[in-house]
Amino acid sequence: MTSSAETSGSGDIARTLELLWDTGKRPSRGPKPTLTLDRIVETAVQVADADGLEALSMRRIATELGTGTMSLYRYVPGKGELLDLMLDRVQRPSENPADLGDGGWRSALEALGRATLALYRRHPWLLQVNQSRPILGPSALDGMEKILSRIKPMGLTDPELVSAIIMVDGYVVGAARTQLYQQEVERRTGLTDAEFWQAQVPMLEKVMASGRYPLLAGLSEDAFGSDFDHFEFGLQRILDGLEVLVSQRGSGD
């Protein structure tokens, strides 16, 4: 990952919305175009998936498509607009209702959390994009509509419902970023996690035996083990907290 993030909504907003919602003018005459916007966006996603956003350029996409760079500008104004189209493409919600759980609000948010983590694993470059100002295309609104339809029975206010979604998403982003950092550092250093921690064992054993850290020294051997699912533990605790709030509202407290 790079320290400078790309930003959603950095292109021509009006033009991006036209492309997302397919409301722009289409030529009524002339030869059938050899390219399509869908092909361009799909190729851009493939480039970003393989090599990261730093490898994404109009020239690289043109090369992958076997065409000239200037021909791409007939379909999309530039990289800023293209990025928003990519974001909408990869965040397209599932058409299978079962993918949002068994119908209850808790299972829906639980499924949302897991699906979002899987999304970031498939497309790590998403974590390089500042999406604090998202362009609201069909995928974003379809996804929001689907999750709201499942969690509306929570009985919370509208701002609270939106906040519940933001809470889960924020938690997932943090977990996904940590996982990505772990993968990246292993690739850059050549050290596996196991090798990294093993290198610290001799010193840590001496420090723990000193008596300076009795609580740490008394932890079980599996306290920092890789078998514990920290993501799932945290997700369930968030949902437990929402469960308390929903129960309070239901009882009139």
Side-chain angles (χ1 to χ4, degrees):
M1 290 178 65
T2 58
S3 58
S4 57
E6 299 282 351
T7 304
S8 61
S10 61
D12 182 327
I13 297 174
R15 182 65 179 132
T16 299
L17 288 169
E18 285 182 351
L19 292 169
L20 283 170
W21 292 99
D22 195 22
T23 60
K25 293 181 180 180
R26 296 183 178 183
S28 56
R29 297 182 180 181
K32 184 177 180 180
T34 57
L35 289 177
T36 65
L37 184 60
D38 279 346
R39 280 189 65 201
I40 293 171
V41 175
E42 189 61 39
T43 300
V45 170
Q46 291 170 3
V47 169
D49 286 348
D51 300 319
L53 282 184
E54 57 272 15
L56 188 68
S57 68
M58 301 299 271
R59 178 178 295 181
R60 170 69 184 276
I61 297 166
T63 299
E64 296 290 334
L65 289 169
T67 189
T69 303
M70 294 306 297
S71 64
L72 301 184
Y73 292 102
R74 295 179 55 199
Y75 300 86
V76 59
K79 187 177 176 181
E81 294 83 3
L82 178 60
L83 179 60
D84 286 316
L85 298 176
M86 293 166 62
L87 292 171
D88 193 74
R89 171 64 60 90
V90 300
Q91 297 183 72
R92 189 175 292 168
S94 170
E95 296 296 327
N96 184 359
D99 288 343
L100 271 184
D102 60 10
W105 68 263
R106 179 165 181 142
S107 67
L109 288 175
E110 185 176 48
L112 176 67
R114 292 171 181 164
T116 304
L117 181 63
L119 175 68
Y120 285 120
R121 285 173 171 169
R122 291 195 304 273
H123 309 289
W125 54 270
L126 284 170
L127 294 169
Q128 295 176 256
V129 183
N130 178 347
Q131 297 187 61
S132 58
R133 288 183 173 181
I135 297 293
L136 299 180
S139 292
L141 295 187
D142 287 350
M144 183 66 78
E145 184 73 13
K146 288 178 185 296
I147 190 65
L148 283 174
S149 71
R150 294 296 187 90
I151 69 173
K152 189 69 173 177
M154 293 175 76
L156 304 182
T157 66
D158 289 346
E160 289 171 338
L161 289 174
V162 172
S163 188
I165 297 170
I166 293 173
M167 186 191 312
V168 171
D169 184 71
Y171 170 71
V172 175
V173 167
R177 182 171 285 113
T178 297
Q179 292 181 8
L180 181 61
Y181 284 166
Q182 290 171 337
Q183 295 168 4
E184 186 177 76
V185 75
E186 181 171 329
R187 183 173 60 253
R188 288 186 175 182
T189 65
L191 281 178
T192 65
D193 260 4
E195 291 168 338
F196 173 78
W197 293 114
Q198 185 60 37
Q200 298 188 60
V201 167
M203 180 58 70
L204 288 175
E205 286 180 342
K206 292 180 182 179
V207 172
M208 290 301 114
S210 70
R212 182 174 177 176
Y213 304 103
L215 294 179
L216 283 170
L219 291 176
S220 62
E221 291 185 2
D222 63 349
F224 297 100
S226 59
D227 292 337
F228 189 84
D229 192 337
H230 294 281
F231 173 80
E232 194 64 30
F233 180 82
L235 179 61
Q236 295 304 324
R237 301 298 73 78
I238 289 173
L239 298 177
D240 287 345
L242 288 171
E243 190 98 54
V244 171
L245 177 61
V246 171
S247 296
Q248 289 175 342
R249 294 292 170 83
S251 63
D253 292 344

